[in-house]
Amino acid sequence: MSTLQRAFGPEAHPTDGSAVFTDLNPSRAESREQLSRATYDLLVIGGGILGISTAWHAAQSGLRVALVDAGDFAGATSSASSKLLHGGLRYLQTGSVKLVAENHFERRAVTREVAPHLSNPLTFYLPVYKGGPHGAAKLGAGVFAYSALSGFGDGVGHLLSPAKARVDVPELRTEGLKAVAVYGDSQMNDARMALMTVRAAADSGATVLNHAEVTGLRFSRGRVCGAELRDRVDGTEFGVAAHVVLNATGPWVDHLRRMEDPAAAPSIRLSKGAHLVLKRTSRWRAALATPIDKYRITFALPWEDMLLLGTTDEEYTGDPADVAVTEADVDQILSEASTSVRGRQLRRELITYSFAGLRVLPGGPGATSKAKRETVVTEGKGGMLSVAGGKWTTFRHIGRTVMAKLAALPGRTLAREMEPLERLPKHPPLPGVANPHAVQHRLLSDGGDPVPNLGEDTARHLARHYGSIAFDVARLAGERPELAERMHPDAPEIWAQAVYARDHEWAETVDDVLRRRTTLTIRGLDTPEVREQVRRMLDS
Ligand SMILES: Cc1cc2nc3c(=O)[nH]c(=O)nc-3n(C[C@H](O)[C@H](O)[C@H](O)COP(=O)(O)OP(=O)(O)OC[C@H]3O[C@@H](n4cnc5c(N)ncnc54)[C@H](O)[C@@H]3O)c2cc1C
């Protein structure tokens, strides 16, 4: 038995009450038992960010809440986004000034107050090429207006010379480049932000379970009053009773609506967006947002020390579970990126990972790239609420919108149980909230006791993905030095994160650990050896 295997084993759960080990998540059997015994005020089906945020807000307002997902939390669309918290520059074109201002407000609240440890401001360069779809004067005015709608909180949008922009982005293509428009937005790791919001919901009292699929709905006198579930890990079947059921299944929303009413007409259409992750050939101090045509922008974003390229926008009619990146998507993304990114950064051998997700758009005719991306809450024949559409950026706003709908339901049964929204804190922070620079500094200066000596990249990674919870992870590594080892020599992650993911972050599968709790998969470092080691750790 290797030292790592020993560290993963039962002895990694001491009962000495040390801070790290006291709040292990309940086992799946305990969660199932709890879910099947209680009657919940609200059952949320779908643990993407819309469902997670609603569960968080509902639990905060005092409701008894259950949240279930057929796969992993944020395992579908919510970990397949462009990772941007943004005002939505392109909405300015359609005159949606109020929408941009609202998005900016949410973006800044998340980046500054709710989750400064999980998100960061990012400068964007919008290159204007000769013969491009928009002129420099128009884009200069556009970024100025965009920054004004954010109260100039991220600086004043302006034009920059190509030579200056090239200093920050050496891979910027400068042939035919007339000017660069500059603006500010924010960025995150969407999977980890979602996970921390699940944790916030659980800390507020919600019962949460992933890998638990709703296979049917329960009815009482024609009204939906719960759901039948199957645990995808061990096949156990169980049920959940609830006064109100919320369908937050994203691309599957109509599938669930048909469980309520087999005759329900389609309410949405889907558009696929694919992304590529590449190793970087040089440092990127800003992101590129390059107009492809009048409506579309392609992004080249520095993210997790890698480069994220995308995205496509194409109508999708297949099974949502089958969405995947095709060769044609890869060709399109690389070709569109080459408008502004030099060829040596776009070599195929630099690609480490690709992923695709589905935008949920209101049903109707016309190109998907022009369709409105708004949140819609509807009530079905049996009283089930369905929520779909909207942006990651406005996840708190969407949570509040669903809460308002719950409070206004006929009979107002839930309203009596709920603390009114206006009496709740305006910007409650996510768990681990802290200044990530301070956390990183402490992790490095405390090195040796009780925190092990960590590499600077590891300290930075822990601070930016866990906030102050990084100290729990580091202490775990301090108590078991084997867990301070790197999961892969080329990644900043240490094995303590994998154990932490299993015990505190609902990780059940190898992909839960490597794709969403850590960044090994996106870096292309989830080798067979790493996968096997994680498998053993999960089984121990
Ligand atoms: C390509 C792309 C890029 C994007 N980029 C951005 C961006 O940069 N910034 C931004 O603000 N927004 C962005 N968005 C939008 C944002 O990602 C989505 O609005 C958001 O993730 C939608 O979350 P959701 O909870 O509705 O759906 P999902 O995350 O798909 O969650 C639905 C969940 O329901 C579960 N489920 C389905 N059926 C069942 C069942 N029977 N039982 C139990 N559970 C079930 C699924 O497993 C899934 O986890 C992007 C979207 C796409 C597609």
Side-chain angles (χ1 to χ4, degrees):
M1 201 187 220
S2 74
T3 43
L4 266 181
Q5 280 169 261
R6 274 202 301 279
F8 292 153
E11 69 270 43
H13 305 269
T15 50
D16 61 4
S18 56
V20 185
F21 303 107
T22 46
D23 58 347
L24 290 182
N25 284 343
S27 69
R28 295 188 70 76
E30 285 166 343
S31 297
R32 280 195 314 253
E33 166 75 13
Q34 209 174 337
L35 285 167
S36 29
R37 254 192 301 127
T39 297
Y40 287 89
D41 293 315
L42 176 67
L43 165 64
V44 179
I45 306 173
I49 191 56
L50 264 59
I52 297 170
S53 176
T54 305
W56 178 35
H57 282 84
Q60 268 186 323
S61 75
L63 294 183
R64 194 163 199 191
V65 181
L67 168 69
V68 295
D69 195 285
D72 190 16
F73 297 126
T77 327
S78 298
S79 60
S81 79
S82 302
K83 331 293 179 198
L84 298 178
L85 297 165
H86 57 167
L89 185 63
R90 79 181 192 94
Y91 300 134
L92 275 189
Q93 249 179 291
T94 48
S96 309
V97 172
K98 190 163 163 264
L99 180 68
V100 175
E102 282 167 5
N103 290 353
H104 266 317
F105 177 81
E106 280 299 308
R107 172 181 76 78
R108 289 180 57 201
V110 172
T111 313
R112 292 177 181 198
E113 293 172 67
V114 177
H117 51 315
L118 305 172
S119 50
N120 55 283
L122 184 63
T123 302
F124 281 77
Y125 289 169
L126 216 154
V128 187
Y129 289 99
K130 208 167 158 222
H134 309 284
K138 179 180 165 193
L139 288 182
V143 293
F144 180 83
Y146 190 68
S147 62
L149 288 170
S150 186
F152 299 118
D154 307 271
V156 181
H158 61 283
L159 288 176
L160 192 72
S161 76
K164 282 195 178 145
R166 181 77 177 268
V167 174
D168 288 341
V169 184
E171 300 297 4
L172 175 65
R173 202 168 67 70
T174 44
E175 307 88 73
L177 183 60
K178 296 199 296 189
V180 172
V182 185
Y183 67 95
D185 263 327
S186 310
Q187 187 187 43
M188 62 176 166
N189 179 318
D190 48 5
R192 284 220 57 90
M193 181 83 87
L195 243 301
M196 289 294 213
T197 317
V198 176
R199 189 171 171 142
D203 287 351
S204 304
T207 308
V208 305
L209 190 65
N210 54 359
H211 302 287
E213 178 187 2
V214 167
T215 52
L217 297 174
R218 285 183 175 181
F219 292 88
S220 168
R221 281 186 254 135
R223 306 295 290 171
V224 177
C225 63
E228 304 299 340
L229 288 99
R230 191 176 65 86
D231 187 323
R232 282 189 177 173
V233 175
D234 65 9
T236 306
E237 297 191 345
F238 62 104
V240 180
H243 298 305
V244 177
V245 173
L246 175 73
N247 167 16
T249 55
W252 291 267
V253 74
D254 281 345
H255 178 70
L256 266 284
R257 286 177 61 248
R258 281 192 296 274
M259 284 187 193
E260 180 189 30
D261 172 13
S267 65
I268 57 156
R269 57 201 180 124
L270 301 173
S271 145
K272 184 174 95 168
H275 287 89
L276 302 178
V277 184
L278 289 87
K279 285 186 194 157
R280 287 208 305 242
T281 47
S282 60
R283 210 188 142 122
W284 285 58
R285 288 198 190 83
L288 296 182
T290 308
I292 291 301
D293 55 34
K294 251 182 109 190
Y295 296 99
R296 287 189 51 236
I297 282 179
T298 190
F299 289 115
L301 309 157
W303 179 66
E304 299 287 8
D305 320 317
M306 311 288 288
L307 189 68
L308 182 65
L309 298 181
T311 177
T312 56
D313 195 338
E314 192 190 323
E315 182 133 31
Y316 182 86
T317 50
D319 183 337
D322 295 336
V323 66
V325 180
T326 62
E327 265 308 302
D329 295 328
V330 176
D331 288 342
Q332 183 186 339
I333 293 169
L334 291 178
S335 153
E336 290 182 347
S338 71
T339 311
S340 58
V341 181
R342 294 166 74 195
R344 64 174 191 173
Q345 173 60 81
L346 300 177
R347 282 172 289 139
R348 278 174 178 257
E349 60 269 27
L350 295 175
I351 300 174
T352 58
Y353 187 60
S354 60
F355 58 88
L358 294 170
R359 300 176 189 88
V360 172
L361 309 171
T368 54
S369 59
K370 290 182 203 154
K372 286 203 166 167
R373 287 152 204 228
E374 282 168 7
T375 309
V376 184
V377 187
T378 53
E379 190 177 344
K381 216 171 152 186
M384 180 171 75
L385 296 183
S386 292
V387 58
K391 303 292 289 176
W392 229 117
T393 306
T394 51
F395 69 103
R396 300 180 327 137
H397 177 71
I398 296 170
R400 290 194 299 266
T401 304
V402 179
M403 293 303 297
K405 181 92 184 174
L406 285 176
L409 283 179
R412 300 177 63 81
T413 28
L414 285 191
R416 281 196 290 275
E417 310 292 326
M418 285 162 64
E419 186 71 15
L421 271 177
E422 54 279 10
R423 276 211 238 131
L424 294 173
K426 284 258 175 311
H427 306 301
L430 288 183
V433 67
N435 177 333
H437 299 290
V439 172
Q440 181 181 346
H441 179 71
R442 267 273 309 283
L443 285 172
L444 289 172
S445 53
D446 285 359
D449 182 37
V451 166
N453 287 312
L454 299 169
E456 192 157 347
D457 58 339
T458 300
R460 183 181 144 78
H461 173 87
L462 289 178
R464 296 216 150 267
H465 294 77
Y466 299 80
S468 62
I469 294 171
F471 298 121
D472 290 351
V473 178
R475 265 196 298 275
L476 188 53
E479 290 175 20
R480 309 229 161 228
E482 309 84 5
L483 299 184
E485 286 176 24
R486 284 175 191 258
M487 295 178 73
H488 186 285
D490 298 335
E493 274 100 341
I494 54 174
W495 280 103
Q497 289 171 254
V499 171
Y500 192 83
R502 177 194 64 188
D503 294 344
H504 302 273
E505 294 184 334
W506 304 276
E508 290 292 336
T509 71
V510 172
D511 286 327
D512 293 354
V513 175
L514 295 176
R515 166 69 174 93
R516 287 170 291 277
R517 302 329 180 258
T518 66
T519 60
L520 274 288
T521 298
I522 62 121
R523 292 172 195 274
L525 302 176
D526 57 340
T527 61
E529 296 75 33
V530 170
R531 295 187 73 85
E532 178 52 26
Q533 198 71 271
V534 172
R535 154 81 18 246
R536 282 203 223 116
M537 182 270 298
L538 289 171
D539 288 345
S540 62

